[in-house]
Amino acid sequence: MSEEGYEARSVRPYAVTGGRVRARSDLPLEALIEAQPASRPVGGLPPEKRSILQYASEDFISVAELSALLHLPIGVTRIIVSDLADGDYIRIVGSTDNSGSPNSDASPALSLSVLESVLNGISAL
């Protein structure tokens, strides 16, 4: 790999997150993301955020799946997802609140769905 290619891959996640290394909340890998109804313009968003909105508009998708689909580290994906949730572009289902207790939106059926999605993703590797 050329030195230039390595440098570009190292700088890109830093630029995508605005230099942040932690999300405001610690999203679990299995947290499901759902796009909110299109009420806000997405034209000014970076490509990574638009891609997340596209995937989340089709069906529920986990943070881990988004990370794999976008070829981004999980930490970077968590930061982007957190930003989108703060901007009311998406809704996070099956996460925990700041006290660490389960979110009221979580349900056992969604947990099974997440496990199946993770298993399918691992099998596809």
Side-chain angles (χ1 to χ4, degrees):
M1 174 189 312
S2 72
E3 187 175 317
E4 190 174 293
Y6 174 76
E7 187 174 311
R9 283 197 348 222
S10 299
V11 171
R12 182 71 178 142
Y14 179 85
V16 168
T17 63
R20 291 174 291 147
V21 294
R22 290 198 178 190
R24 288 176 193 79
S25 62
D26 191 24
L27 292 172
L29 296 174
E30 70 276 4
L32 294 177
I33 310 305
E34 174 186 40
Q36 296 285 49
S39 60
R40 304 184 71 188
V42 296
L45 293 177
E48 294 82 8
K49 289 183 178 180
R50 288 194 310 263
S51 294
I52 288 173
L53 289 173
Q54 179 183 358
Y55 288 124
S57 68
E58 296 168 5
D59 198 5
F60 287 103
I61 188 164
S62 72
V63 174
E65 288 174 301
L66 287 170
S67 179
L69 289 168
L70 297 173
H71 303 288
L72 288 173
I74 192 70
V76 172
T77 306
R78 282 178 169 153
I79 292 169
I80 296 170
V81 166
S82 177
D83 289 348
L84 286 169
D86 290 346
D88 290 328
Y89 286 100
I90 61 171
R91 184 171 72 101
I92 300 171
V93 181
S95 64
T96 57
D97 61 19
N98 291 337
S99 67
S101 60
N103 186 326
S104 59
D105 290 336
S107 73
L110 291 178
S111 298
L112 180 59
S113 169
V114 171
L115 292 175
E116 289 174 350
S117 295
V118 171
L119 180 61
N120 290 339
I122 292 171
S123 298
L125 294 175

